Amino acid sequence: MAVETQDKVIALVGKCPVDDAERLFTALEAHPDCMVDLSKMTSLHTAVLQVLMARTPRCGAAPEDPELAWIKPLLTLEPTLENA
């Protein structure tokens, strides 16, 4: 499972397949004030992207993977996860 919830952070880790879209949506519904950490995400299904775009969560970190740099303009990035 690529969706991990700890404290006030929802982290997407590794590959995020279509099944993670529902997990992410559920986590965001249950914890609407959580910040989302995408720094360790290596790929994502478009369904996961749709959840991120529809729910517009605060994101503390964009993906570190240069292949996913295109996602940065689509996110609401916060300066750091320490404020979460």
Side-chain angles (χ1 to χ4, degrees):
M1 176 184 345
V3 179
E4 300 174 359
T5 305
Q6 293 181 339
D7 300 321
K8 294 185 178 186
V9 177
I10 299 170
L12 298 182
V13 180
K15 295 180 180 180
C16 297
V18 67
D19 296 341
D20 284 335
E22 184 176 354
R23 289 183 186 103
L24 176 59
F25 183 83
T26 301
L28 289 169
E29 284 286 305
H31 310 284
D33 295 332
C34 277
M35 185 173 287
V36 178
D37 179 2
L38 306 173
S39 63
K40 302 300 181 204
M41 182 174 63
T42 57
S43 68
L44 78 159
H45 190 277
T46 54
V48 176
L49 177 61
Q50 289 173 355
V51 171
L52 289 170
M53 293 177 68
R55 298 291 304 177
T56 61
R58 295 176 308 126
C59 296
E64 294 174 356
D65 187 334
E67 293 290 321
L68 295 173
W70 58 269
I71 197 172
K72 290 179 185 178
L74 305 175
L75 305 173
T76 304
L77 292 174
E78 296 287 329
T80 179
L81 283 174
E82 294 173 357
N83 299 329

